[in-house]
Amino acid sequence: GEFVTEDYCELIARDGNHQTVKLRDKETLLLGRGDLTGIDDELCSDHQIEVFADVSSREVTVKHLGVHPSVAGGVTLHSGEQIVLGESAVIELLPGQYKYCIFIGKRLVNHSLFDEKEVKGNYLNIQTSSLKMEDIKYP
């Protein structure tokens, strides 16, 4: 099969009450209460934040949409405000809660296994980033 590498971004859930989220390069996702995150908290809007991954720049743009503030890179965001974060920065969907750590890496994709349109969910994860989980310094 033909393998190609693909850059990707992961928002790694820092505790057990929500789920890690994967982002493709140049993908925009709305995060908040719902199935994608596993968050079931009335204070967290369905569309709490919008995240955009620019993997080649190793940056994630976080835009706040929800009623209650979120925290990104230590900065409190209110509705309409946005910030650009780098690798290993922490996003909190609500202050002090639902924390995500930004991870950026590469993975191999075997294009002979599936049609291009079906590419989601069929990744062979191979993280070649120099950053390992134990290297991340948490505040």
Side-chain angles (χ1 to χ4, degrees):
E2 182 204 350
F3 284 93
V4 295
T5 61
E6 177 183 78
D7 294 320
Y8 77 109
C9 172
E10 230 172 30
L11 303 181
I12 298 172
R14 285 274 311 276
D15 42 45
N17 56 8
H18 60 297
Q19 294 160 24
T20 289
V21 175
K22 285 182 168 59
L23 279 164
R24 311 253 301 275
D25 188 27
K26 305 292 190 289
E27 183 177 9
T28 301
L29 267 188
L30 293 165
L31 293 186
R33 190 172 74 242
D35 292 341
L36 182 65
T37 59
I39 296 170
D40 182 25
D41 185 327
E42 292 297 318
L43 293 176
C44 187
S45 301
D46 293 351
H47 297 160
Q48 180 74 356
I49 62 170
E50 180 186 276
V51 288
F52 172 77
D54 187 340
V55 177
S56 55
S57 303
R58 304 187 87 74
E59 289 176 345
V60 174
T61 302
V62 179
K63 183 176 182 182
H64 185 79
L65 305 172
V67 178
H68 298 282
S70 54
V71 177
V75 178
T76 301
L77 298 181
H78 299 89
S79 200
E81 296 178 339
Q82 67 178 40
I83 190 171
V84 177
L85 300 176
E87 190 169 29
S88 82
V90 174
I91 300 166
E92 305 167 26
L93 289 196
L94 291 172
Q97 288 182 281
Y98 311 117
K99 294 181 182 180
Y100 286 100
C101 185
I102 297 170
F103 173 85
I104 294 170
K106 285 186 187 296
R107 61 184 157 200
L108 283 183
V109 184
N110 184 343
H111 280 290
S112 65
L113 286 179
F114 42 82
D115 189 284
E116 284 277 334
K117 293 188 291 295
E118 297 298 319
V119 86
K120 273 194 169 144
N122 288 310
Y123 298 115
L124 301 168
N125 266 311
I126 297 184
Q127 297 180 348
T128 57
S129 169
S130 58
L131 183 79
K132 297 188 293 296
M133 283 305 291
E134 57 268 26
D135 294 336
I136 297 173
K137 303 289 186 282
Y138 294 125

